[in-house]
Amino acid sequence: MVHLTTQENWSEIWFQAIQTAKIIGFVPTMGALHEGHLQLIRASKSSCDLTVVSIFVNPSQFNNSADFDAYPTTLASDLEKLRQENVDVVYTPSVEEIYPESPELRFSFGALETKLEGAFRPGHFNGVGLVVSKLFNIIRPQVAFFGQKDLQQVAIIKRLVKDLSFPIDLVIVPTMREADGLAMSSRNLRLSPMHREASLILINSLNKAKKELIAGKGWFETQQEIVCDFEKSQLAKLEYFELIDPASFEVQTEFNPSVLISICVAAYLGEIRLIDNISINF
Ligand code: AMP
């Protein structure tokens, strides 16, 4: 595995790969790697000739500096995991490498970013747009892999690729979960045992709402029930629980079984903010 901390030597590897008609697959991450990340890497390994993983905790996508400061970094064990997966190249740039100057450019994703994550984390998707564009321009992959766990990010990146004509195919990988259903996340490492147990309210409420909608219950009633469940839990503080169209991220007021629809949730477990979603399709 080649470990690059600057983009300097990448051009040579890229050029050789392109000359020999190799397909480059790219998996951008913020590190603290878990099985969810490894699923993306395995998807790249199985469909591309050369897999590049980046590890970069991107300051510009954190609207909360305490969250940035506390973000877990586990570089030595990350590198070991990547070696075991036979990743070809890992790129771990410094903040100065990615942001030699504070960027003036600002991304606006219009209606896509005015709700849910966009509303609760102002500036977050501007930071995502910036770093993903920069990494796409540095690595120049033909294929890039993202997780369905961050569903609104998927919609944002699809838009970014379309609007800026990045010649990159996107592959979206289903959410990897712990045995008890909690969506894997680097932030799970920071949960206290008590909050880890209480965190199951996210997936349980998504499953409960899905079941009720399929059984014919109205969305408003279902949503109210979930809000009450969270209020009863002393440990989980709900931010949102919404029914959305996953393409436009328009909030839906009723369940239409003939279209693909998703339920998205965000909640705090103590200091830790977790998100999750499930899709309902027939
Ligand atoms: P992050 O390191 O949190 O920025 O995540 C890097 C990539 O891994 C993103 O495309 C995430 O959507 C994806 N990812 C994170 N958690 C999971 C998971 N549990 N299952 C599948 N993909 C995930």
Side-chain angles (χ1 to χ4, degrees), residues 28-30 34 36-37 40 71 146-147 149-150 174-176 184:
T29 81
M30 297 204 298
H34 50 67
H37 297 112
L40 272 63
Y71 201 83
F146 292 89
K149 151 98 184 350
D150 298 283
T175 302
M176 188 77 187
M184 289 186 178

Side-chain angles (χ1 to χ4, degrees), residues 96-115:
E96 295 70 36
E97 158 104 349
I98 298 294
Y99 297 108
E101 283 179 57
S102 175
E104 296 291 352
L105 178 66
R106 294 282 177 276
F107 284 91
S108 162
F109 292 94
L112 263 186
E113 67 161 74
T114 57
K115 62 230 20 148

Side-chain angles (χ1 to χ4, degrees), residues 148-151 177 206 263-265 275-279:
Q148 200 163 359
K149 151 98 184 350
D150 298 283
L151 194 64
R177 298 180 178 281
L206 289 170
I263 314 173
C264 296
V265 62
I275 60 171
D276 199 355
N277 67 84
I278 52 171
S279 298

Side-chain angles (χ1 to χ4, degrees), residues 129-270:
L130 270 171
V131 79
V132 170
S133 301
K134 280 171 171 278
L135 291 169
F136 279 178
N137 282 327
I138 293 168
I139 303 298
R140 289 166 285 161
Q142 290 96 326
V143 191
F145 296 80
F146 292 89
Q148 200 163 359
K149 151 98 184 350
D150 298 283
L151 194 64
Q152 195 166 5
Q153 173 171 285
V154 166
I156 292 278
I157 289 165
K158 282 184 175 167
R159 194 73 223 188
L160 182 78
V161 164
K162 204 181 267 179
D163 285 1
L164 291 181
S165 306
F166 279 110
I168 297 175
D169 289 335
L170 298 177
V171 175
I172 310 307
V173 177
T175 302
M176 188 77 187
R177 298 180 178 281
E178 301 289 354
D180 60 6
L182 176 67
M184 289 186 178
S185 163
S186 306
R187 289 187 172 87
N188 295 352
L189 291 175
R190 296 177 52 213
L191 291 169
S192 69
M194 185 175 75
H195 287 117
R196 169 65 183 82
E197 206 179 319
S199 68
L200 289 181
I201 193 170
L202 274 85
I203 184 60
N204 290 343
S205 58
L206 289 170
N207 283 332
K208 178 176 175 183
K210 177 174 177 172
K211 202 162 143 203
E212 292 188 346
L213 289 176
I214 291 172
K217 202 179 236 185
W219 170 246
F220 186 66
E221 212 183 323
T222 304
Q223 190 186 37
Q224 281 312 305
E225 210 179 293
I226 301 295
V227 170
C228 286
D229 289 347
F230 271 90
E231 277 168 5
K232 275 186 235 144
S233 144
Q234 300 290 304
L235 293 171
K237 192 171 153 283
L238 183 66
E239 263 195 348
Y240 62 73
F241 191 84
E242 298 288 355
L243 190 66
I244 59 104
D245 168 344
S248 66
F249 256 79
E250 286 301 330
V251 171
Q252 308 293 297
T253 53
E254 55 189 87
F255 172 56
N256 176 354
S258 60
V259 296
L260 178 65
I261 212 158
S262 300
I263 314 173
C264 296
V265 62
Y268 273 96
L269 280 297

Side-chain angles (χ1 to χ4, degrees), residues 1 3 5 31-33 55-56 72-83 90-92:
M1 181 172 78
H3 181 182
T5 53
L33 301 179
I55 298 178
F56 179 64
T73 46
T74 56
L75 186 61
S77 78
D78 288 354
L79 293 176
E80 190 44 43
K81 285 178 187 165
L82 298 178
R83 246 177 241 118
V90 55
Y91 175 51
T92 60

